Amino acid sequence: MALVTVIAMVSVGGHVAHAAPSAALDLSQYHGKVVYLDFWASWCAPCKLSFPFLEKLQSYYAGRNFVLLAVNVDHDRTKADAFLREAGSNLPIVYDTTGGIARTFNVKAMPTSVVIGADGRVRYVHSGFFPDQMPLYEAHISELLNAK
Amino acid sequence: MQNDGRRRARARAGLGIALLCVGGILSACASVGPAAWDHDLMARKSMQLNTHPDLMAALEHSYFSKEGASGGRSFVGGGCGCN
Amino acid sequence: MQLTPPRRGRIAQALGLLTANLLAATCAQAQALSPAADAPPDAAAPRVGVNDDTQSDVGLTRLNAAVLFYSESGGRVKATEPVVSVTVNGSSGAVLTGRFTVDTLTGATPNGAAPWTGPQTFTTPAHAPGTTATVTGSSGGSTLVTIPGTGTVARQYVTPANTLPVDAGFRDLRTAVDLGYATPVWDGGRLSFGGSASTERDYRSYSGNAGLSQDFNQHNTTASISAEFEYDRSNPFFGTPTPFTVMSADAKGPARTKTVTSAVLGVTQVVNRYWLAQLNYTVGESNGYQTDPYRVLSVVDSVTGAPSQYLYENRPGSRLRQSVYFGNKVAWGPTVTDASVRFYHDSWGVNSVTAELSERVPVVSWLYVEPLARYYSQTAANFFRDYLIAGQPLPAFASSDSRLGKFQAQTYGLKVGIPITGHSEFDIPSSEVYFQVQDYKQTGSAQPGGVVPGLAHENFFSGVQAVSVFAGWTMAFY
């Protein structure tokens, strides 16, 4: 199904990113790395389903040129923290309580994963999380890691 | 018979108007609604359209057995808007 | 599975390269990138709030059990209705549901005749055609008599003077099975199928439905269309009487059927973060036997009101129903308001308005209450008659069923929910016990306009007053 994979080639230049005041996300520090940005919330059931997968990605690509950032969009950070504690997760979390980052990346469904190549370009956007698509999600990362 | 035909025609007209309305509403809705990350309240159990389906079914059946009108509800839509 | 390859070249260039340097989302606040391990310690973390439980049955199986106790005042219908149901949720959004309902009904129902200043005796068949077993026994004050000269066994019951005639021999057992399946088919699209079968001793109903819904506008708008087909078979205990024939102990005709075809068009809209609205249009057409085989009408003297005979009622064979439903759910802080209105019209002349309002108020994390009120009002079907007058030509159709008369109804109720576990997403199994108590009362005028002088002091209104208690339990687990 083509529906889950949409290719976004949107320019997310600094000049369009002046959204609402929000948590910061300076991706420049990850230049040269493949970045997997996962937008999630504590109230989103498929997000919960995706966490074990994200953990797996994180550990599987640990030695590679790969960074996974879980961007939480809960309005109330304590809910996110409660969720993470229950999930026993130690993924790197970016708190985006006002949705500024989500707006920048034009997030249209929860969860949404944005896969950014080593060149800093958004290469894949996974809208939603479908367990049967996990091999595809992973293939996208491998492809970008091997692109160099 | 003639009456029947007229009624059918009216039903068809009604359905057509309803479809037009739905189309109109859909286009009017195109820019309405919160961002994907603002569906936290919609995700609440209490905000679902049918929180207790067995209770809803029993009540609907009970009303159906006593009143001339029935039906009209549906339970699609809303929710966290995930995936 | 089709993977769209990244489009490169001109378009990409035109859109501009997204460099990491440019990607810095502006920061008005301090950088908040931190592993969760840095989150505040447990002690500082509040328990998830009273109304924050989210609907996340994805991947879960849900078992439900409930029972409804229903009682109409005046010795009318009493019902006990146990229900069990199960919902299996796949991890990709497919949902399979099954429900099994048993409904035991006893009590008295109005037989349709008008009250009268003297006692009235009603005679109906005692046997199903071709059998000798009595079908309703002699309960509820009925007696079995043999009609002189014919050998026909009849069941008779007597209604005292100035009393709305009811048949107390009413007893039934309804069992119903409902199955449903819904699955995502493409992005934002869902397909659903369902079927149901229900049987009573004298009635069977089968139906099937299919529906399609599509999300638009970032899942804020859902348009849906569904269609249902129903087939019903009415097989009265003693056969189907010919409409407008005299009520008697004679054997009646064979079973009759009807079909119902209906469709629902709907739009559900998330208006803003707090408000969910829904608009549905429903149209349905019923064709076939829609008359109540047990119901009669009194044929009365135009002056004294004395009944000369009782005729089986007669309804049109076709009915077109339309309704518009507008529903809203609004999250005001921790409470949720549910407000809806329905407008209904059918080709029998019944127009109705229904308004419902409920407010769910969380009290503590393990308790919420939900008071509710409902108002219903309908006009009479154009063939509704409290009685027929002797010597006047018969109308094409006539029924004295209170469901087809003019009345209003008020419902007041209270739901109480006790979530037992499941204060967070991860408390599985999570369960809830809930109760709903409800009081329902129909009101209407006691007498038709221009009532026959001899019946001027009778109360014709046969509306229902009922109390119901629903107790349910639900549990979700992996």
Side-chain angles (χ1 to χ4, degrees):
Chain A
M1 286 191 214
L3 48 109
V4 283
T5 309
V6 184
I7 301 310
M9 282 287 190
V10 229
S11 168
V12 193
H15 51 286
V16 294
H18 285 279
S22 178
L25 180 60
D26 178 9
L27 289 180
S28 63
Q29 59 185 303
Y30 305 118
H31 191 58
K33 294 187 175 191
V34 173
V35 180
Y36 193 92
L37 273 186
D38 185 79
F39 291 88
W40 68 281
S42 67
W43 45 263
C44 153
C47 299
K48 185 180 157 192
L49 280 184
S50 75
F51 259 67
F53 172 70
L54 298 179
E55 304 273 0
K56 202 183 108 200
L57 286 183
Q58 165 94 339
S59 60
Y60 185 76
Y61 293 110
R64 308 285 300 274
N65 232 350
F66 177 76
V67 175
L68 189 149
L69 298 174
V71 184
N72 175 265
V73 295
D74 272 289
H75 284 253
D76 180 358
R77 178 177 164 163
T78 59
K79 284 175 189 162
D81 292 335
F83 179 98
L84 291 165
R85 210 164 26 251
E86 300 265 14
S89 170
N90 61 353
L91 293 175
I93 306 296
V94 178
Y95 293 94
D96 184 24
T97 51
T98 57
I101 303 172
R103 192 172 292 111
T104 304
F105 283 90
N106 200 17
V107 169
K108 289 199 162 111
M110 292 298 296
T112 289
S113 302
V114 178
V115 193
I116 301 164
D119 56 358
R121 286 166 53 173
V122 171
R123 292 313 184 104
Y124 297 103
V125 175
H126 306 149
S127 193
F129 177 77
F130 301 87
D132 57 350
Q133 307 277 316
M134 289 188 298
L136 176 69
Y137 302 154
E138 214 169 329
H140 289 162
I141 298 169
S142 295
E143 180 205 313
L144 295 179
L145 282 171
N146 297 331
K148 310 187 73 181
Chain B
M1 278 298 113
Q2 200 181 356
N3 203 7
D4 216 40
R6 218 178 311 150
R7 200 180 315 138
R8 269 165 214 277
R10 225 184 300 159
R12 264 197 297 272
L15 203 65
I17 290 166
L19 276 168
L20 275 178
C21 286
V22 168
I25 289 164
L26 278 184
S27 52
C29 286
S31 57
V32 177
W37 56 90
D38 273 342
H39 281 79
D40 51 340
L41 303 181
M42 292 297 142
R44 283 183 182 172
K45 269 195 182 111
S46 53
M47 281 296 283
Q48 306 315 301
L49 288 168
N50 194 3
T51 58
H52 296 89
D54 292 338
L55 175 59
M56 180 64 81
L59 290 178
E60 292 272 295
H61 183 73
S62 154
Y63 287 129
F64 169 77
S65 70
K66 295 191 286 270
E67 296 175 345
S70 63
R73 290 180 184 271
S74 76
F75 306 111
V76 282
C80 82
C82 302
N83 273 347
Chain C
M1 183 184 308
Q2 176 75 45
L3 164 61
T4 316
R7 258 182 256 131
R8 294 164 206 271
R10 232 170 260 161
I11 300 170
Q13 277 166 11
L15 286 168
L17 287 183
L18 178 67
T19 68
N21 283 343
L22 286 172
L23 192 64
T26 331
C27 34
Q29 288 171 355
Q31 177 135 343
L33 171 57
S34 67
D38 292 348
D42 277 18
R47 199 71 173 143
V48 175
V50 288
N51 203 6
D52 292 329
D53 50 340
T54 50
Q55 179 63 40
S56 60
D57 276 2
V58 173
L60 299 182
T61 296
R62 185 171 281 280
L63 272 183
N64 307 285
V67 61
L68 168 71
F69 299 102
Y70 173 87
S71 176
E72 291 178 1
S73 62
R76 306 256 295 255
V77 176
K78 277 191 167 46
T80 306
E81 185 180 319
V83 189
V84 288
S85 67
V86 61
T87 306
V88 182
N89 300 276
S91 61
S92 293
V95 182
L96 179 68
T97 56
R99 174 185 291 132
F100 182 67
T101 310
V102 177
D103 206 353
T104 59
L105 297 152
T106 57
T109 45
N111 70 2
W116 162 236
T117 53
Q120 303 184 74
T121 301
F122 299 95
T123 304
T124 86
H127 297 163
T131 72
T132 52
T134 55
V135 284
T136 47
S138 55
S139 64
S142 298
T143 52
L144 294 177
V145 296
T146 304
I147 306 292
T150 63
T152 306
V153 179
R155 183 170 67 87
Q156 283 191 338
Y157 56 95
V158 178
T159 297
N162 306 312
T163 307
L164 189 78
V166 295
D167 184 350
F170 173 64
R171 181 167 303 198
D172 211 340
L173 177 72
R174 181 177 71 103
T175 54
V177 177
D178 292 89
L179 292 172
Y181 179 71
T183 184
V185 279
W186 52 72
D187 194 10
R190 284 181 78 76
L191 199 54
S192 64
F193 301 97
S196 70
S198 87
T199 57
E200 293 164 60
R201 292 202 302 183
D202 57 349
Y203 204 81
R204 277 163 200 265
S205 174
Y206 307 92
S207 74
N209 63 72
L212 180 66
S213 72
Q214 177 67 50
D215 287 355
F216 298 98
N217 179 22
Q218 302 186 28
H219 299 288
N220 282 322
T221 309
T222 306
S224 64
I225 183 163
S226 66
E228 182 167 69
F229 181 77
E230 180 184 321
Y231 172 83
D232 297 339
R233 186 171 186 272
S234 163
N235 188 17
F237 297 125
F238 49 74
T240 307
T242 305
F244 286 153
T245 57
V246 175
M247 185 186 200
S248 75
D250 299 343
K252 310 291 191 243
R256 302 288 303 271
T257 63
K258 84 160 189 281
T259 58
V260 186
T261 311
S262 57
V264 184
L265 284 176
V267 176
T268 306
Q269 175 69 36
V270 183
V271 180
N272 55 40
R273 193 173 154 224
Y274 311 93
W275 180 15
L276 179 65
Q278 187 182 49
L279 190 64
N280 293 333
Y281 169 72
T282 307
V283 59
E285 187 170 26
S286 320
N287 285 298
Y289 185 75
Q290 302 180 67
T291 298
D292 184 336
Y294 304 115
R295 203 174 274 278
V296 295
L297 286 133
S298 301
V299 179
V300 305
D301 183 87
S302 61
V303 179
T304 65
S308 51
Q309 50 185 193
Y310 306 105
L311 299 185
Y312 289 108
E313 65 154 51
N314 187 18
R315 304 183 191 186
S318 165
R319 186 181 194 182
L320 181 72
R321 317 164 78 122
Q322 296 180 80
S323 68
V324 173
Y325 170 89
F326 178 55
N328 297 276
K329 292 199 86 157
V330 185
W332 308 93
T335 74
V336 174
T337 303
D338 190 327
S340 69
V341 62
R342 177 186 63 183
F343 300 95
Y344 169 95
H345 166 77
D346 71 29
S347 62
W348 287 1
V350 176
N351 294 310
S352 90
V353 179
T354 312
E356 285 191 79
L357 182 67
S358 74
E359 183 79 15
R360 178 180 145 134
V361 183
V363 181
V364 285
S365 66
W366 51 270
L367 176 72
Y368 64 85
V369 295
E370 186 175 334
L372 62 99
R374 177 181 186 271
Y375 173 79
Y376 176 86
S377 171
Q378 75 171 47
T379 62
N382 47 37
F383 55 88
F384 178 84
R385 300 282 187 282
D386 283 288
Y387 49 78
L388 300 172
I389 292 173
Q392 293 188 356
L394 277 177
F397 304 103
S399 171
S400 61
D401 188 346
S402 68
R403 268 195 281 183
L404 298 173
K406 177 182 161 73
F407 69 89
Q408 297 81 45
Q410 280 101 38
T411 308
Y412 297 100
L414 180 71
K415 182 153 84 182
V416 174
I418 306 169
I420 293 175
T421 50
H423 296 301
S424 93
E425 286 301 287
F426 294 85
D427 283 346
I428 300 292
S430 83
S431 59
E432 182 186 274
V433 175
Y434 60 99
F435 304 91
Q436 180 166 303
V437 184
Q438 198 166 288
D439 181 74
Y440 176 85
K441 187 179 184 180
Q442 290 180 348
T443 51
S445 63
Q447 301 216 315
V451 66
V452 165
L455 298 175
H457 301 291
E458 302 296 338
N459 182 1
F460 288 84
F461 187 67
S462 60
V464 175
Q465 219 179 315
V467 173
S468 64
V469 178
F470 189 95
W473 167 83
T474 175
M475 182 173 83
F477 55 90
Y478 284 112

